[in-house]
Amino acid sequence: MRFYSLLIVSLGFLLGVVRLSAQTIHVDEVLVSDENAADVLAGKGKGKAGSVRYDKASNTLFLQDASLDKGLKVVGLEQELTVKIDGQCSIVADPFGLITNCFVTFTGESGKLVVKAKSSESGGFAMDGAHAIIRFKDCDVEFKSAGASFAVASLRRGYGLLVFDHSEWLSDGGLVGAMGRINIKRSDIKLPVGGMVAYKQPQDSDDPPFANILDADRRPNYGTFKLDPNNKYPISIDDVDVTEKNATNIFPNSVIPNGYARYNPEKNRLIISNLDFFTMGTSSIQNYHDETDLPLTIEVRGFNTIWSGYNSCIYSRGPLVITGDGNLHVKTEDVKIGSAGIFMENGQPLTIEKTRVYATGFYGLAGGRRNTAKLFVKDAYLEMNCTRPQDGACMEGFESMDLENVAIIEPKDAHFDAFYSGLLLADNTPARGRVIIGNAQWQAIQSPLADDADNWCPSVSVQDHTLTIDLEAQPSIALARLFDLNGAVLAHFAPRAKVSLNLPSGCYVLSVGSYNQKILIP
């Protein structure tokens, strides 16, 4: 309760002082205009050392060795404002170093910004709007609290987004929290030791959940908060962090023919080809980007089968696009009830375009944060399956579903219901069987679940030490694998392949989906 009492008592006055008006940028209470953009604080008296200029074309405010006495106020801008820090810059937080209701990014690898609270009634960086975003990207920022109640906070609890992206940050006190979300990317929490981002749902109201930085005891941290940048991109696959070193070849030891994964950070594009893997304790693909980044695009090539035992198979904090001429089968075994084939956090959009996706779980597709995710299916094939039809659903947690050049093929009476936030049947019960969305062009190659068919088995022949496997009649898109008796994978085969292998004498196991066959080489 400490933060909230301080927020009400010490900032109640400030909220009366700071009344946000439309589409303005103030620097030390000076309104930025076309007339003063080249030198915003020219002739404004003491404390205005250095240079402050504004470039309208790029919507960038440049601080060059600037010392400010009152801070920044950014209001009502429709476009992101970039504050570029160069040299040693400082701001006296009186009452705030920054207050905004829009999107402001601080950046500048060659400079440092020090914000000093004037008193305990001051605050470092304040967001005051449902859609406010404050981002620190590739910069060095220090906050000196002087007993201030917060370093970064939302004045509307549960709203706003705070992003730390590959930045150095040091605050010697004050809360970092009360906004709707905190996303830390390409950075590690160094202090407090064991510190973390955590969310709390208010117990006494219908207000949305809010995020805080917590200490190791899971209490709001009012002490030192320190971040150091790292070289990890905000994405992991098969429990492997994607970094600057492995991005071009994430799985260098892959034994699957033409099986690989690579990531392009400039385009935020992950290419996967002929992957077949299983994760237990984490989601198989985790996307930690957010709406301040380009959408993550997963380009699917070949046949990809990705499984998760405990969590949702694909977890995304930011916009996600799945495309490509291949097939993607994601399935959670749902050891943790409520997991999804694909889970979209924070009301983010999922776009499936010109590809085939099969999503299976307690929910085939699911969205968090008060059912605010958005689904777009564009000229593609999407199949959703529910592993627990007694209480799960094919789709839940979405506020909208937009179909472009596709329609719901099966069941024909299924329809999207915004109030339910998913798909309902004609009798207004949730769609819990298989749901197919597609068109004449993007048809299923056959449901991956068809590998359970009792009337199919592969054609296998052995002559001398040559093993021939014929999968041409395979009814599913599951990859085939050949094991030795120690469980080591000797080979992978694409669906419906026909291959011949020269093998030493021994016993082997062929596995295709749920089908297994023991093979003896004499």
Side-chain angles (χ1 to χ4, degrees):
M1 294 298 296
R2 174 184 171 189
F3 168 69
Y4 302 110
S5 60
L6 285 171
L7 192 65
I8 294 171
V9 174
S10 65
L11 298 184
F13 165 74
L14 299 176
L15 287 173
V17 172
V18 182
R19 295 196 175 272
L20 303 185
S21 54
Q23 298 188 15
T24 59
I25 303 171
H26 284 84
V27 180
D28 269 8
E29 299 182 342
V30 175
L31 177 64
V32 175
S33 64
D34 292 341
E35 289 72 25
N36 66 15
D39 192 354
V40 176
L41 299 178
K44 299 298 180 181
K46 65 178 183 178
K48 309 300 189 293
S51 168
V52 180
R53 63 184 179 87
Y54 173 69
D55 179 66
K56 188 174 183 179
S58 62
N59 203 28
T60 301
L61 187 69
F62 294 89
L63 305 184
Q64 169 73 52
D65 295 313
S67 299
L68 308 181
D69 293 337
K70 293 290 184 180
L72 307 173
K73 183 169 69 172
V74 182
V75 179
L77 303 185
E78 296 180 359
Q79 305 274 328
E80 172 191 5
L81 173 71
T82 299
V83 180
K84 180 74 180 326
I85 303 163
D86 195 7
Q88 297 298 309
C89 298
S90 65
I91 298 176
V92 176
D94 181 21
F96 304 109
L98 165 75
I99 184 167
T100 185
N101 63 1
C102 46
F103 182 6
V104 179
T105 293
F106 290 86
T107 188
E109 294 179 305
S110 62
K112 180 172 182 175
L113 174 63
V114 178
V115 178
K116 304 174 184 178
K118 185 175 182 179
S119 70
S120 61
E121 294 185 342
S122 303
F125 300 83
M127 52 183 73
D128 187 20
H131 304 291
I133 300 174
I134 298 178
R135 176 171 64 161
F136 302 95
K137 182 177 182 180
D138 297 319
C139 61
D140 185 354
V141 179
E142 182 178 355
F143 175 68
K144 298 182 178 181
S145 65
S149 59
F150 70 85
V152 192
S154 172
L155 305 184
R156 298 182 61 186
R157 189 176 74 173
Y159 293 94
L161 168 64
L162 171 62
V163 178
F164 296 99
D165 186 357
H166 200 253
S167 290
E168 293 186 57
W169 170 276
L170 176 63
S171 51
D172 62 7
L175 187 84
V176 176
M179 59 283 301
R181 288 177 287 149
I182 299 175
N183 200 14
I184 299 176
K185 303 177 291 188
R186 300 190 297 160
S187 303
D188 296 317
I189 298 177
K190 295 299 185 179
L191 293 173
V193 175
M196 67 192 81
V197 177
Y199 293 82
K200 182 176 181 180
Q201 176 66 54
Q203 300 297 316
D204 55 349
S205 71
D206 292 329
D207 291 342
F210 58 93
N212 284 335
I213 299 296
L214 304 187
D215 60 22
D217 295 325
R218 299 189 67 83
R219 296 175 301 190
N221 178 59
Y222 294 95
T224 301
F225 178 51
K226 186 177 190 301
L227 293 173
D228 285 345
N230 61 40
N231 68 348
K232 299 177 184 177
Y233 295 118
I235 184 174
S236 68
I237 177 171
D238 194 15
D239 213 17
V240 175
D241 290 323
V242 180
T243 67
E244 296 172 359
K245 292 183 178 180
N246 69 9
T248 57
N249 189 7
I250 300 170
F251 301 126
N253 299 318
S254 174
V255 297
I256 304 176
N258 203 30
Y260 58 84
R262 54 177 178 255
Y263 175 67
N264 183 323
E266 286 73 29
K267 295 181 179 180
N268 200 15
R269 193 175 195 91
L270 175 69
I271 300 175
I272 59 175
S273 173
N274 290 332
L275 294 186
D276 182 15
F277 64 86
F278 175 87
T279 56
M280 187 63 193
T282 61
S283 294
S284 304
I285 297 178
Q286 299 182 85
N287 173 31
Y288 296 120
H289 294 86
D290 52 59
E291 58 265 42
T292 67
D293 304 298
L294 291 172
L296 172 67
T297 296
I298 299 178
E299 181 180 332
V300 180
R301 300 177 180 177
F303 295 88
N304 298 269
T305 305
I306 302 174
W307 311 80
S308 177
Y310 189 76
N311 292 321
S312 296
C313 198
I314 295 179
Y315 170 86
S316 183
R317 287 185 187 171
L320 176 64
V321 177
I322 302 176
T323 189
D325 58 7
N327 297 265
L328 175 62
H329 173 209
V330 291
K331 181 180 180 181
T332 173
E333 297 296 339
D334 200 33
V335 175
K336 176 183 177 182
I337 294 177
S339 297
I342 302 175
F343 186 90
M344 302 301 298
E345 186 62 274
N346 306 323
Q348 298 300 324
L350 167 63
T351 301
I352 298 173
E353 183 171 6
K354 294 185 181 301
T355 192
R356 295 181 180 90
V357 174
Y358 306 80
T360 302
F362 186 91
Y363 303 111
L365 304 180
R369 302 285 292 191
R370 295 195 168 191
N371 304 330
T372 54
K374 304 167 184 65
L375 174 64
F376 300 88
V377 184
K378 302 179 179 180
D379 195 17
Y381 178 90
L382 169 63
E383 180 176 315
M384 295 170 278
N385 291 279
C386 173
T387 56
R388 296 175 186 257
Q390 67 275 15
D391 52 3
C394 288
M395 177 184 179
E396 187 169 284
F398 286 76
E399 71 174 19
S400 63
M401 181 179 78
D402 291 319
L403 305 182
E404 183 177 313
N405 197 27
V406 292
I408 298 176
I409 298 174
E410 179 188 322
K412 294 187 180 298
D413 63 343
H415 61 279
F416 180 79
D417 186 279
F419 181 79
Y420 170 70
S421 75
L423 292 167
L424 297 180
L425 301 178
D427 60 0
N428 287 326
T429 59
R432 290 174 170 153
R434 183 171 67 175
V435 173
I436 295 175
I437 298 174
N439 59 25
Q441 178 181 357
W442 291 93
Q443 294 289 348
I445 293 183
Q446 187 71 26
S447 169
L449 299 180
D451 58 25
D452 294 324
D454 294 331
N455 58 353
W456 177 83
C457 62
S459 174
V460 176
S461 62
V462 177
Q463 185 174 0
D464 296 327
H465 287 273
T466 300
L467 169 65
T468 300
I469 301 172
D470 186 350
L471 305 174
E472 291 181 347
Q474 180 184 348
S476 75
I477 64 168
L479 293 178
R481 289 169 287 189
L482 186 68
F483 299 86
D484 63 18
L485 288 186
N486 294 319
V489 179
L490 303 179
H492 289 72
F493 318 113
R496 305 189 180 91
K498 184 175 182 179
V499 295
S500 294
L501 301 172
N502 189 270
L503 298 170
S505 298
C507 191
Y508 303 89
V509 176
L510 173 65
S511 176
V512 187
S514 62
Y515 175 88
N516 296 283
Q517 177 179 346
K518 186 179 291 186
I519 301 170
L520 179 65
I521 304 293

